[in-house]
């Protein structure tokens, strides 16, 4: 079985691979990238519109695929909070019956970029290029403008991963509404990696042995401090 992805954007496809990597119930499934319509504006301007775009992509991808059991859609968009405008990524995983929604971190637009968007209708890529904050019309397919403002400390693929992983939270039959397409145990803990033995000749100290050494050290230090104080007093 496979998972349909409602995009052909290289950065978003890599984000899906990275997000699913720690999930054994999902990381062995074939990913099927599909070009679909988001059904929203080029630059979504509210949390509702952004999430709707992600949902539209997930549903369109699943319906377009003949082998997939889940559809994943991602959409970046903006929302206002007070007099500030923030960018975030929404992810929707469609199991054929239920929407599983997750969001990334949100970051504030620079004032000049916000002005380009609000007063001139520019999308973020065009605004950043016109303001000479970057010189790459394809920045959205790479690290995104988020990489520009963070000095590559956070990139668009990384915050897309966040949104996918938050959507994966509700792939948990029994805790959330899920169709039969959702496998059991998606969010079960991964097996703990075995602890490597200490180097030859070095034996791990037991808790009580360590505690005794620590206690002895404290007693000796306390006695020395008391002696110094007594001498000064005399």
């Amino acid at each position: 079985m496979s998972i349909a992805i409602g995009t052909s954007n290289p950065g978003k496809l890599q984000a899906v691979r990275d997000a699913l990597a720690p999930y054994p119930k999902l990381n062995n499934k074939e990913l099927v990238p599909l070009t679909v319509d988001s059904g929203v504006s080029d630059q979504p301007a509210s949390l509702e519109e952004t999430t709707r775009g992600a949902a539209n992509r997930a549903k369109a991808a699943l319906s377009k695929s003949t082998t997939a059991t889940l559809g994943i859609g991602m959409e970046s968009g903006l929302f206002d909070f007070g007099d500030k405008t923030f960018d975030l990524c929404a992810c929707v995983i469609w199991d054929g019956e239920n929407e599983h929604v997750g969001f990334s971190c949100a970051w504030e637009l620079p004032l000049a970029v916000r002005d380009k968007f609000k007063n001139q209708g520019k999308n973020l890529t065009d605004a950043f290029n016109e303001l000479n904050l970057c010189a790459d019309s394809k920045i959205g397919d790479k690290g995104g403008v988020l990489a520009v403002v963070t000095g590559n400390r956070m990139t668009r693929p990384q915050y897309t991963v966040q949104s996918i992983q938050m959507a994966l939270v509700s792939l948990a039959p029994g805790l959330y509404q899920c169709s039969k397409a959702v496998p059991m145990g998606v969010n079960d803990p991964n097996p703990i990696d075995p602890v490597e033995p200490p180097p030859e000749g070095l034996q791990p100290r037991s808790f009580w042995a360590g505690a005794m050494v620590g206690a002895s050290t404290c007693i000796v230090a306390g006695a020395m401090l008391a002696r110094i104080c007594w001498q000064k007093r005399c």
Side-chain angles (χ1 to χ4, degrees):
M1 305 304 286
S2 60
I3 299 175
I5 314 299
T7 185
S8 57
N9 181 297
K12 289 185 177 181
L13 293 175
Q14 186 58 50
V16 174
R17 296 186 191 98
D18 293 343
L20 297 185
Y23 294 83
K25 296 294 180 69
L26 299 174
N27 61 17
N28 59 349
K29 294 185 180 295
E30 178 189 3
L31 302 183
V32 182
L34 296 164
T35 301
V36 297
D37 189 3
S38 69
V40 297
S41 61
D42 179 53
Q43 185 65 80
S46 70
L47 187 60
E48 185 278 330
E49 184 184 10
T50 305
T51 309
R52 177 158 42 89
N56 289 343
R57 288 181 181 276
K59 293 175 181 178
L62 184 59
S63 66
K64 199 172 182 179
S65 172
T66 58
T67 60
T69 54
L70 297 172
I72 297 180
M74 297 148 284
E75 192 75 25
S76 292
L78 307 176
F79 69 94
D80 290 333
F81 184 77
D83 60 352
K84 301 178 185 297
T85 300
F86 291 82
D87 174 270
L88 88 166
C89 182
C91 174
V92 173
I93 302 175
W94 174 243
D95 67 12
E97 297 177 10
N98 307 283
E99 296 180 1
H100 305 272
V101 183
F103 299 104
S104 71
C105 59
W107 59 279
E108 182 186 351
L109 299 189
L111 294 178
V113 174
R114 182 179 189 271
D115 180 68
K116 286 277 187 182
F117 165 67
K118 289 288 188 180
N119 299 320
Q120 299 180 34
K122 301 290 184 178
N123 62 35
L124 295 193
T125 296
D126 291 343
F128 268 72
N129 277 274
E130 290 183 11
L131 290 167
N132 295 318
L133 297 174
C134 71
D136 188 349
S137 62
K138 300 293 184 182
I139 189 69
D141 293 337
K142 303 169 187 176
V145 295
L146 179 56
V148 176
V149 296
T150 64
N152 284 312
R153 293 176 179 85
M154 175 65 73
T155 65
R156 185 182 190 186
Q158 287 174 329
Y159 98 147
T160 304
V161 168
Q162 291 179 349
S163 69
I164 300 166
Q165 290 182 327
M166 293 305 97
L168 289 169
V169 169
S170 61
L171 292 188
L175 292 178
Y176 301 89
Q177 289 186 333
C178 299
S179 74
K180 293 181 179 180
V182 177
M184 297 294 294
V186 169
N187 288 288
D188 285 353
N190 284 328
I192 300 176
D193 294 331
V195 178
E196 294 184 5
E200 186 177 354
L202 293 178
Q203 296 300 320
R205 177 181 292 169
S206 70
F207 168 79
W208 290 111
M212 291 298 293
V213 170
S216 299
T217 302
C218 289
I219 292 172
V220 171
M224 293 177 65
L225 182 60
R227 182 176 180 181
I228 293 172
C229 291
W230 175 258
Q231 288 174 344
K232 288 185 177 182
R233 181 180 179 184
C234 294

